[in-house]
């Protein structure tokens, strides 16, 4: 069996990461994400580019830009009922996003990817 | 035309128009009273049978589409065990509006016969139109079927989360009605729907 040199191995891994990242970005379905947001009344409290009771999605995206754990953090935020801080300072459990069929992780992930793409 | 040998309908008409020489007014009144109760009871029982979840889901159009979605929602299954079935939201309780809704629903039988939504694709293509009809009906009745169970004044500032409570009280002041904000709570929203708050 032939061994790859370190530089070749790095190139292969790098290429794979780029392909995976671009596939993931391409796979994001904006219409499905917006549909799920509407179904869950997300847009009553969040605007895409307008603050309401919750921050605008483009601000959320800017805050998490370049952070590796952004997706995980947002998924936890919208599925665990953790506390969210409101403009007047009070804290309230964030609504848990529901999917049909229930607990569809792909739909949740797609929604978070859409938010982070704003 | 000879009047010596009238037809069956005519003979019946003549016989019911004759004054009774045999029975008292009281006896006739009592018979009609009892028949009236039986007729009304039968009519009412039949009508109520069409208000059950089982009746609504005998059609595959309802069973395979909206029923499956509704089963995932809080109006089907919840902490307190209170269930709102199809008719609780879609059929008025008051007699007059209920009769009007039932008469309109009988026209929907034509849709069933012609197969207007007999496949998933056809249903999805018409979902927005169907939803808009129902939203308009609910808006016109000030969401009466929601308000049969829900009431602004019964909302507790302590027990309801602060944000929804504030939104509810603001909506009440603005004269809004339940369906203005709560669309798609028991079914999927149509894909064409855009939230006016966006």
């Amino acid at each position: 069996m032939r061994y790859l040199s370190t530089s070749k191995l790095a190139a292969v891994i790098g290429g794979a990461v780029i392909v995976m990242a671009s596939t993931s970005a391409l796979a994001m379905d904006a219409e499905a994400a917006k549909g799920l947001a509407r179904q869950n009344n997300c847009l009553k409290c969040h605007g895409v580019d307008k603050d309401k009771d919750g921050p605008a999605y483009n601000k959320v995206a800017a805050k998490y830009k370049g952070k590796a754990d952004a997706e995980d953090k947002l998924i936890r935020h919208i599925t665990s009922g953790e506390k969210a801080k409101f403009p007047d300072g009070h804290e309230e459990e964030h609504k848990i996003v529901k999917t049909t069929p229930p607990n569809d992780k792909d739909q949740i992930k797609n929604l978070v990817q859409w938010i982070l793409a704003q | 035309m000879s009047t010596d040998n009238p037809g069956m309908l005519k003979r019946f008409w003549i016989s019911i128009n004759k004054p009774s020489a045999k029975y008292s007014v009281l006896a006739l009144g009592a018979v009609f009273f009892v028949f009236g109760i039986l007729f009304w009871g039968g009519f009412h029982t039949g009508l109520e049978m069409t208000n059950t979840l089982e009746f609504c889901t005998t059609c595959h159009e309802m069973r395979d589409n909206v029923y499956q979605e509704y089963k995932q929602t809080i109006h089907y299954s919840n902490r307190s065990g209170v269930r709102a079935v199809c008719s609780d939201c879609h059929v008025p309780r008051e007699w007059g509006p209920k009769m009007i809704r039932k008469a309109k629903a009988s026209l929907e039988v034509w849709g069933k016969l012609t197969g207007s939504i007999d496949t998933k694709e056809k249903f999805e293509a018409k979902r927005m139109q169907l939803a808009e009809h129902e939203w308009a009906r609910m808006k016109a009745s000030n969401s009466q079927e929601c308000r049969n169970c829900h009431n602004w004044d019964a909302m507790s500032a302590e027990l309801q989360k602060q944000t929804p409570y504030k939104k509810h009280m603001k909506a009440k002041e603005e004269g809004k009605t339940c369906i203005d904000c709560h669309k798609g709570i028991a079914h999927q929203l149509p894909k064409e729907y855009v939230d006016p708050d966006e």
Side-chain angles (χ1 to χ4, degrees), chain A residues 36-112:
Chain A
L36 188 62
R38 287 178 187 129
Q39 191 69 46
N40 281 275
N41 279 334
C42 304
L43 301 157
K44 301 276 183 218
C45 292
H46 297 275
V48 171
D49 50 14
K50 195 171 76 179
D51 285 337
K52 296 183 183 174
D53 281 332
Y57 286 146
N58 60 3
K59 283 193 183 169
V60 176
K63 181 180 168 186
Y64 286 101
K65 193 169 183 163
K67 291 186 180 163
D69 59 349
E71 208 170 284
D72 289 342
K73 270 192 167 177
L74 287 191
I75 288 174
R76 191 165 62 246
H77 189 62
I78 64 171
T79 56
S80 69
E82 71 177 12
K83 296 274 184 189
K85 198 163 190 171
F86 281 69
D88 64 1
H90 89 276
E91 288 193 342
E92 212 174 275
E93 283 172 11
H94 190 278
K95 182 192 162 87
I96 295 173
V97 172
K98 287 183 180 159
T99 59
T100 306
N103 306 318
D104 186 336
K105 289 189 172 65
D106 291 340
Q107 286 186 44
I108 297 285
K109 195 174 174 182
N110 186 57
L111 175 61
V112 165

Side-chain angles (χ1 to χ4, degrees), chain B residues 154-191:
Chain B
M155 291 175 185
S156 160
E158 284 77 40
L159 296 175
Q160 199 169 75
K161 280 188 199 169
Q162 198 173 327
T163 307
Y165 184 76
K166 269 166 55 186
K167 283 184 193 293
H168 280 137
M169 292 307 115
K170 187 164 172 268
K172 184 186 174 187
E173 274 175 30
E174 290 171 352
K176 285 188 175 174
T177 187
C178 316
I179 197 64
D180 286 331
C181 298
H182 295 280
K183 293 183 176 72
I185 49 159
H187 309 296
Q188 289 285 300
L189 283 167
K191 56 184 179 308

